[in-house]
Amino acid sequence: MEKTFSLQRREDGIAILTMDVPGETMNTLKPEFGPEVSQIIAEVKGDTSIKGIVVVSGKKDSFIAGADISMLAACTSEQHAKDLSQQGHVVFNALENMNIPVVAAINGACLGGGLEFALACHLRVCSDDNKTVLGVPEVQLGLLPGGGGTQRLPRLVGVATALDLMLTGKQVRPKQALKMGLVNDVVPNSILLTTAIELAKKGKSAAKPVKQSKLNQFLESTSFTRDIMFDQARKQVDKKTAGNYPAPAKIIDCVRQGLNKGMAKGLEVEATHFGNLVMSKESAALRSIFFATTEMKKETGAAGAEPRKVKKAMVLGGGLMGGGIASVTTTKAKIPVRVKDISEQGLSNALAYAYKLLDKGVKRRHMTPAVRDNIMSLMTTTTDYKGIKDADIVVEAVFEDLALKHQMVKDVERECGEHTIFASNTSSLPIGQIAEAATRPENVIGLHYFSPVEKMPLVEVIAHKTTSAETIATTVAFARKQGKTPIVVQDGAGFYVNRILALYMNEAAQLLLEGQRVEHLDSSLIKFGFPVGPMTLLDEVGIDVGAKISPILEKELGDRFSAPAAFDKLLADDRKGRKNSKGFYQYGPKAKKAKLVDESVYGVLGIKTASDKEAKEIAERCTIQMLNEAVRCLEEGIIANPRDGDIGAIFGIGFPPFLGGPFRYIDTLGAKNLVDTLTRYQKLYGDRFAPCEMLKNMATEGNSFHSN
Ligand SMILES: C[C@@H](O)CC(=O)SCCNC(=O)CCNC(=O)[C@H](O)C(C)(C)COP(=O)(O)OP(=O)(O)OC[C@H]1O[C@@H](n2cnc3c(N)ncnc32)[C@H](O)[C@@H]1OP(=O)(O)O
C-alpha cells in the first residue's frame, strides 16, 4: 500500500518528514499511521547523521485537517474510540520525546489532530497564507481534542487561551497564533521550509515561553486559583449549552485533572472522555452535519448544469437585507456590486452597513484599513439603472409588493443582458408569480437570505416551474461564494424554512393565548435547544412581518396556518417588536440590564396568565408542528431530501444541531412514536396536529429518513 509519510535526508543533517495521504485532497490522521510514524521515529533515532526534523504537508495548501472523521464513525465502542486516542498519544509522545528538534512547517488548514501533531513537535512555524488557519474544532463535532491537545495546549499557551480555543473550536489566523504563542514564527510560504530548517538547526531552545497577563499568571499558579477558573468556565458552559452538549464540560475536566494530577493522568482522562464522546448521540448528529455540508459543496444544485461565472452583481434596495447582501457579495465573494435604491439615504444605509462590518475587522486587527477600503471600493451605488448593463445577477431586496417586483423584473430585462439572472429575496411570495412579468422567466429565481445576512449561513434557492438549470446552478455557485450554504427548494408559499417555522410560532402563540407566560415559553424552547425562544424571535423578525406572511401561507396551504385572531390586537396596538421598541419584551433603557417582558401585552391580548405547563410539553407541542410540516415539505417535493431539510432547519432557524435536524430527530424519536404523539394532541387541540400521510406511512412501515 502507498505510504503516507516519507523521509528525505539533507546534507545539513535536517530531515524532511512529508505527510501526503495518497488520493485525498486533505491530509487526515488515520489509525494505520501510528505504526508508520513509529517506524520512522525508530529509523531516525538510529541515524546519528540526522540532527533535526521538519514536518511538512505534501498537499498544496493544507497541512493536516485533523483525525479522519469517517474513521470515528467506524468505532464500535467507547473502548475502541479510547484506544484510537491512546494510539495517538503514543506516537505524539514519542515525537515529543525525541532528542533532536522536530519543527512543524504549517501552510494551510492545521486543525484538530493536525494541530495536536504540530503541538507534539518542539517548534512550529506557519505561513501567512490566507488558507492558513489553526484550531481545535472538535467541540463543534461533539468531541474533544483526543490527541493530547487538552494537555499540551494549556501548557503552551496558558489555561485561559487554551480553554477559549477548545470550548469555541474557533480557527485562528497566523498572526493571532503567533501572538498567543501557538507558533514560533509566521513567514511567507515561499520561505516557510527554509525558516523551519533554520529553526531546527537552532534546536529546541529556540522556543520562547509565552508571555501571560499577570492576572492569568496568578490564576494559573495554584490548583486553588485554577479551580476558580475552571468553575467559572463550567458555569459559562452550562449556561450556554443548557446541558445539551456534553463535550465542553469534559474538556474542562481533562484540563483540570491534567494540571492538578499530571500529564499522564490528563492523557488518561482525555482518552476516556474522547471514547465516551465519540459514541455519543450528540457527536453522531454533529458529525452528520459536517458530512452533509461537505457533500452539498460538491453539488451544483441542478443536475448536469454548469454555473455561469458571476463577475458583477447588482442589489436592488439598500435596506437591512440589501445592505447585508451587498456586504457578503463584496466581503466574501469579492464580486463588485452596484446597489440601487430610490433614495440617497437608502444607499448610505447600505454603504454604512458594509463599512461597519469591515471596520470591526480593522479594530480587531484582522485586516488593515487598506484592505477594508479596497473591499469597500467594490461597492458602488446608484439611484437609477446606470452602469448595470453587464450585471450577471440582480438580487432584489425590497418590500413584499408583487407589483413593485414585477416592475423591477421589467426594468432589469430592459437594462441588463439576456443572461442576467433576476433573483428575488422575497420571504413569502411565490417565485412563479414574480416571474409572470418576465419575458425570460427562465432567468427568474428566488434567493432567500436570513437576517442578519452576514451571520446566518443558510440561503434558500427557489426554482419556479420554468427556472433554467443554468440559472439554478449559477445562483447556487454565487451563494456559495458569498460563504452561504444553499439548499434548492421548490416554489411554494413560505418555501421551506418559513413554512415549518410558521407552524412552530403559531403553536407558541396558541400557548400564549392559553395563558403561558412569555418568558416561560421562551425558556422552554431554549432548554430544548433553540438559540432563542419563539416570542423573542417574533420580536426580532417583526410581529408585523409574521402577520403579513400568515395569510399568504393560510391561503396557499390551508387552515392549519391560520394565526390566532387575537394577534391582530397586537398590530392594532402598534406592537411590531424590536423595530419599534414595542412587542413582547421591553426595549427601553431599563431593558438594557435585563430582558424584561412587557406585561401590558397580556392585557392587549385579553389573557390572564395561567400556571406554568411543563417545559417539555411546551417544547413538544411547538416542535412536533415543525417536524410534521417538514415531512409534508418532503412529501410535496419542496425539499429534495431529508439532508436538505435537516441543514435548512439547523442553518436557517437554529434547530438544535445536537439533534441533527428535524429528520434525524424524527428517526431518533421513531416515526410511530411521533404519529402517536401528534394523534394524542390532535384529540386534545384539533386537526392542526393531524400527522401527514408520509409520516403515517413511515410509521406503518417502520422506516427511517436517514440510512446512517
Ligand atoms: C484526534 C481528535 O482531536 C479528533 C479530530 O481531529 S476530529 C477532526 C477535527 N477536524 C475538523 O473538524 C476539520 C474538518 N474539516 C474542515 O473544517 C474543512 O474540511 C477544512 C477547513 C479543513 C477545509 O475546508 P474546505 O477547503 O472547504 O474543504 P472541504 O471541507 O470540502 O474538505 C475537502 C475534503 O477533505 C475532507 N475532510 C476535511 N476534513 C476532514 C476530516 N477531519 N476527516 C475526514 N475528511 C475530511 C472533506 O470531507 C472533503 O473530502 P472530499 O472527498 O474531497 O469531498
Side-chain angles (χ1 to χ4, degrees), residues 25-26 28 65-70 72 109 111-113 116 137-138 141 143-147 171 274 290 294 297-298:
T25 44
M26 291 266 165
T28 57
D68 180 350
I69 303 173
S70 47
L72 303 177
L111 298 169
E116 292 172 295
E138 287 87 339
L141 298 170
L143 302 170
L144 56 73
Q171 299 178 0
F274 181 78
F290 168 76
T294 301
K297 287 180 193 173
K298 298 193 204 82

Short mmCIF file of all heavy atoms in Angstrom, two decimals, residues 25-26 28 65-70 72 109 111-113 116 137-138 141 143-147 171 274 290 294 297-298, ligand 1:
data_model
loop_
_atom_site.label_atom_id
_atom_site.label_comp_id
_atom_site.label_asym_id
_atom_site.label_seq_id
_atom_site.Cartn_x
_atom_site.Cartn_y
_atom_site.Cartn_z
N THR A 25 -7.64 14.89 -0.97
CA THR A 25 -7.33 16.31 -1.13
C THR A 25 -6.77 16.89 0.16
O THR A 25 -6.03 17.87 0.14
CB THR A 25 -8.59 17.12 -1.49
OG1 THR A 25 -9.65 16.69 -0.65
CG2 THR A 25 -8.99 16.94 -2.92
N MET A 26 -7.14 16.28 1.30
CA MET A 26 -6.67 16.80 2.59
C MET A 26 -5.94 15.69 3.33
O MET A 26 -6.35 14.52 3.26
CB MET A 26 -7.87 17.20 3.45
CG MET A 26 -8.61 18.40 2.96
SD MET A 26 -7.98 19.85 3.78
CE MET A 26 -8.68 21.10 2.73
N THR A 28 -5.55 13.69 6.50
CA THR A 28 -6.25 13.44 7.77
C THR A 28 -5.56 12.26 8.45
O THR A 28 -5.00 11.40 7.78
CB THR A 28 -7.73 13.08 7.53
OG1 THR A 28 -7.81 11.94 6.67
CG2 THR A 28 -8.47 14.25 6.91
N ALA A 65 -5.94 18.22 8.35
CA ALA A 65 -7.29 18.68 8.68
C ALA A 65 -7.85 18.00 9.92
O ALA A 65 -9.02 18.16 10.25
CB ALA A 65 -8.21 18.46 7.51
N GLY A 66 -7.00 17.20 10.60
CA GLY A 66 -7.48 16.54 11.80
C GLY A 66 -7.55 15.05 11.62
O GLY A 66 -7.15 14.51 10.59
N ALA A 67 -8.10 14.38 12.64
CA ALA A 67 -8.31 12.94 12.50
C ALA A 67 -9.37 12.72 11.43
O ALA A 67 -10.24 13.57 11.21
CB ALA A 67 -8.77 12.36 13.84
N ASP A 68 -9.32 11.59 10.79
CA ASP A 68 -10.32 11.24 9.77
C ASP A 68 -11.66 11.01 10.46
O ASP A 68 -11.85 10.02 11.16
CB ASP A 68 -9.86 9.97 9.05
CG ASP A 68 -10.84 9.55 7.97
OD1 ASP A 68 -11.94 10.13 7.92
OD2 ASP A 68 -10.49 8.65 7.18
N ILE A 69 -12.58 11.94 10.26
CA ILE A 69 -13.87 11.89 10.97
C ILE A 69 -14.63 10.63 10.60
O ILE A 69 -15.33 10.04 11.41
CB ILE A 69 -14.70 13.15 10.68
CG1 ILE A 69 -13.93 14.42 11.07
CG2 ILE A 69 -16.02 13.13 11.45
CD1 ILE A 69 -14.60 15.72 10.67
N SER A 70 -14.46 10.15 9.38
CA SER A 70 -15.19 8.93 8.98
C SER A 70 -14.64 7.72 9.74
O SER A 70 -15.36 6.77 10.02
CB SER A 70 -15.08 8.71 7.48
OG SER A 70 -13.75 8.87 7.07
N LEU A 72 -13.92 7.79 12.85
CA LEU A 72 -14.61 7.83 14.14
C LEU A 72 -15.97 7.16 14.03
O LEU A 72 -16.43 6.50 14.95
CB LEU A 72 -14.75 9.27 14.62
CG LEU A 72 -13.43 10.04 14.74
CD1 LEU A 72 -13.69 11.49 15.14
CD2 LEU A 72 -12.50 9.38 15.75
N ALA A 109 -4.72 24.60 6.31
CA ALA A 109 -5.50 24.20 7.49
C ALA A 109 -4.69 23.27 8.39
O ALA A 109 -4.16 22.25 7.93
CB ALA A 109 -6.78 23.51 7.05
N LEU A 111 -5.76 21.67 11.78
CA LEU A 111 -6.92 21.62 12.67
C LEU A 111 -7.00 20.30 13.42
O LEU A 111 -6.56 19.26 12.93
CB LEU A 111 -8.20 21.83 11.86
CG LEU A 111 -8.32 23.18 11.15
CD1 LEU A 111 -9.50 23.16 10.17
CD2 LEU A 111 -8.46 24.32 12.12
N GLY A 112 -7.56 20.34 14.60
CA GLY A 112 -7.82 19.13 15.38
C GLY A 112 -6.57 18.32 15.61
O GLY A 112 -5.55 18.85 16.07
N GLY A 113 -6.64 17.05 15.23
CA GLY A 113 -5.47 16.19 15.39
C GLY A 113 -4.27 16.72 14.64
O GLY A 113 -3.14 16.44 15.00
N GLU A 116 -2.69 18.99 16.96
CA GLU A 116 -2.11 18.18 18.04
C GLU A 116 -0.80 17.53 17.60
O GLU A 116 0.13 17.41 18.37
CB GLU A 116 -3.13 17.13 18.50
CG GLU A 116 -4.33 17.77 19.20
CD GLU A 116 -5.41 16.76 19.49
OE1 GLU A 116 -6.01 16.21 18.54
OE2 GLU A 116 -5.69 16.52 20.66
N PRO A 137 -11.25 22.28 16.40
CA PRO A 137 -12.71 22.40 16.23
C PRO A 137 -13.50 21.19 16.73
O PRO A 137 -14.69 21.09 16.48
CB PRO A 137 -12.86 22.53 14.72
CG PRO A 137 -11.70 21.80 14.16
CD PRO A 137 -10.59 21.94 15.14
N GLU A 138 -12.83 20.26 17.44
CA GLU A 138 -13.51 19.04 17.85
C GLU A 138 -14.83 19.30 18.57
O GLU A 138 -15.79 18.55 18.41
CB GLU A 138 -12.61 18.20 18.74
CG GLU A 138 -11.48 17.52 18.01
CD GLU A 138 -10.24 18.38 17.89
OE1 GLU A 138 -10.35 19.61 18.01
OE2 GLU A 138 -9.15 17.81 17.65
N LEU A 141 -17.89 19.13 16.75
CA LEU A 141 -18.31 17.79 16.33
C LEU A 141 -18.78 16.98 17.53
O LEU A 141 -18.94 15.77 17.47
CB LEU A 141 -17.14 17.06 15.65
CG LEU A 141 -16.60 17.70 14.37
CD1 LEU A 141 -15.31 17.04 13.95
CD2 LEU A 141 -17.62 17.64 13.25
N LEU A 143 -16.98 16.51 20.16
CA LEU A 143 -15.81 15.78 20.64
C LEU A 143 -14.89 16.70 21.43
O LEU A 143 -15.25 17.83 21.72
CB LEU A 143 -15.04 15.21 19.42
CG LEU A 143 -15.81 14.28 18.51
CD1 LEU A 143 -15.02 13.99 17.24
CD2 LEU A 143 -16.19 12.99 19.23
N LEU A 144 -13.71 16.18 21.75
CA LEU A 144 -12.66 16.99 22.36
C LEU A 144 -11.34 16.62 21.70
O LEU A 144 -11.25 15.56 21.06
CB LEU A 144 -12.60 16.77 23.87
CG LEU A 144 -12.42 15.39 24.46
CD1 LEU A 144 -11.02 14.83 24.30
CD2 LEU A 144 -12.76 15.41 25.96
N PRO A 145 -10.33 17.46 21.79
CA PRO A 145 -9.05 17.12 21.18
C PRO A 145 -8.50 15.84 21.84
O PRO A 145 -8.13 15.87 23.01
CB PRO A 145 -8.17 18.34 21.48
CG PRO A 145 -9.13 19.44 21.74
CD PRO A 145 -10.31 18.81 22.40
N GLY A 146 -8.50 14.75 21.10
CA GLY A 146 -8.15 13.46 21.71
C GLY A 146 -6.72 13.03 21.44
O GLY A 146 -6.33 11.93 21.74
N GLY A 147 -5.92 13.94 20.86
CA GLY A 147 -4.53 13.59 20.55
C GLY A 147 -3.56 14.33 21.46
O GLY A 147 -2.50 14.76 21.04
N GLN A 171 -11.15 28.94 14.69
CA GLN A 171 -9.91 28.90 13.93
C GLN A 171 -9.20 30.24 14.11
O GLN A 171 -9.83 31.28 14.06
CB GLN A 171 -10.21 28.67 12.44
CG GLN A 171 -10.93 27.35 12.18
CD GLN A 171 -11.27 27.18 10.70
OE1 GLN A 171 -10.99 28.02 9.87
NE2 GLN A 171 -11.89 26.04 10.38
N PHE A 274 -12.80 11.07 25.43
CA PHE A 274 -12.88 11.05 23.96
C PHE A 274 -13.69 9.84 23.52
O PHE A 274 -14.60 9.94 22.69
CB PHE A 274 -11.47 11.01 23.36
CG PHE A 274 -11.45 11.00 21.86
CD1 PHE A 274 -11.65 12.17 21.14
CD2 PHE A 274 -11.21 9.83 21.16
CE1 PHE A 274 -11.63 12.17 19.75
CE2 PHE A 274 -11.20 9.80 19.77
CZ PHE A 274 -11.41 10.98 19.07
N PHE A 290 -21.46 17.86 9.46
CA PHE A 290 -20.21 18.10 8.72
C PHE A 290 -20.24 17.36 7.39
O PHE A 290 -19.99 17.93 6.33
CB PHE A 290 -19.00 17.66 9.53
CG PHE A 290 -17.73 17.63 8.72
CD1 PHE A 290 -17.08 18.80 8.38
CD2 PHE A 290 -17.24 16.43 8.24
CE1 PHE A 290 -15.93 18.79 7.60
CE2 PHE A 290 -16.09 16.40 7.44
CZ PHE A 290 -15.44 17.58 7.12
N THR A 294 -20.38 19.03 3.64
CA THR A 294 -19.27 18.73 2.73
C THR A 294 -19.79 18.12 1.43
O THR A 294 -19.35 18.48 0.34
CB THR A 294 -18.30 17.74 3.41
OG1 THR A 294 -17.83 18.33 4.62
CG2 THR A 294 -17.11 17.43 2.51
N LYS A 297 -21.36 20.71 -0.86
CA LYS A 297 -20.43 21.61 -1.55
C LYS A 297 -20.14 21.12 -2.96
O LYS A 297 -19.77 21.89 -3.83
CB LYS A 297 -19.10 21.69 -0.80
CG LYS A 297 -19.12 22.48 0.49
CD LYS A 297 -17.72 22.46 1.11
CE LYS A 297 -17.70 22.96 2.53
NZ LYS A 297 -16.36 22.78 3.16
N LYS A 298 -20.31 19.81 -3.16
CA LYS A 298 -19.95 19.25 -4.47
C LYS A 298 -21.10 19.31 -5.46
O LYS A 298 -20.95 18.96 -6.62
CB LYS A 298 -19.52 17.79 -4.29
CG LYS A 298 -18.30 17.59 -3.43
CD LYS A 298 -17.84 16.16 -3.64
CE LYS A 298 -17.04 15.64 -2.49
NZ LYS A 298 -17.80 15.16 -1.35
C1 LIG B 1 -7.92 13.34 17.33
C2 LIG B 1 -9.01 14.30 17.64
O1 LIG B 1 -8.52 15.53 18.02
C3 LIG B 1 -10.10 14.30 16.64
C4 LIG B 1 -10.06 15.20 15.45
O2 LIG B 1 -9.08 15.67 14.95
S1 LIG B 1 -11.64 15.44 14.83
C5 LIG B 1 -11.41 16.35 13.34
C6 LIG B 1 -11.12 17.77 13.61
N1 LIG B 1 -11.01 18.49 12.33
C7 LIG B 1 -12.06 19.13 11.78
O3 LIG B 1 -13.15 19.18 12.33
C8 LIG B 1 -11.84 19.81 10.45
C9 LIG B 1 -12.91 19.37 9.47
N2 LIG B 1 -12.64 19.91 8.14
C10 LIG B 1 -12.89 21.20 7.83
O4 LIG B 1 -13.27 22.01 8.64
C11 LIG B 1 -12.69 21.59 6.39
O5 LIG B 1 -12.64 20.43 5.63
C12 LIG B 1 -11.36 22.37 6.17
C13 LIG B 1 -11.47 23.74 6.84
C14 LIG B 1 -10.20 21.58 6.69
C15 LIG B 1 -11.18 22.56 4.65
O6 LIG B 1 -12.38 23.10 4.12
P1 LIG B 1 -12.56 23.15 2.53
O7 LIG B 1 -11.34 23.74 1.92
O8 LIG B 1 -13.89 23.75 2.27
O9 LIG B 1 -12.58 21.65 2.08
P2 LIG B 1 -13.76 20.59 2.37
O10 LIG B 1 -14.41 20.86 3.67
O11 LIG B 1 -14.61 20.48 1.17
O12 LIG B 1 -12.91 19.26 2.55
C16 LIG B 1 -12.16 18.75 1.44
C17 LIG B 1 -12.14 17.26 1.59
O13 LIG B 1 -11.48 16.89 2.82
C18 LIG B 1 -12.34 16.09 3.61
N3 LIG B 1 -12.08 16.36 5.02
C19 LIG B 1 -11.75 17.54 5.56
N4 LIG B 1 -11.54 17.39 6.88
C20 LIG B 1 -11.74 16.07 7.16
C21 LIG B 1 -11.65 15.28 8.35
N5 LIG B 1 -11.25 15.80 9.51
N6 LIG B 1 -11.95 13.98 8.26
C22 LIG B 1 -12.31 13.43 7.09
N7 LIG B 1 -12.39 14.10 5.89
C23 LIG B 1 -12.09 15.41 5.97
C24 LIG B 1 -13.73 16.51 3.19
O14 LIG B 1 -14.65 15.53 3.54
C25 LIG B 1 -13.53 16.67 1.71
O15 LIG B 1 -13.46 15.37 1.16
P3 LIG B 1 -13.79 15.13 -0.38
O16 LIG B 1 -13.64 13.69 -0.55
O17 LIG B 1 -12.82 15.96 -1.15
O18 LIG B 1 -15.18 15.62 -0.52
#
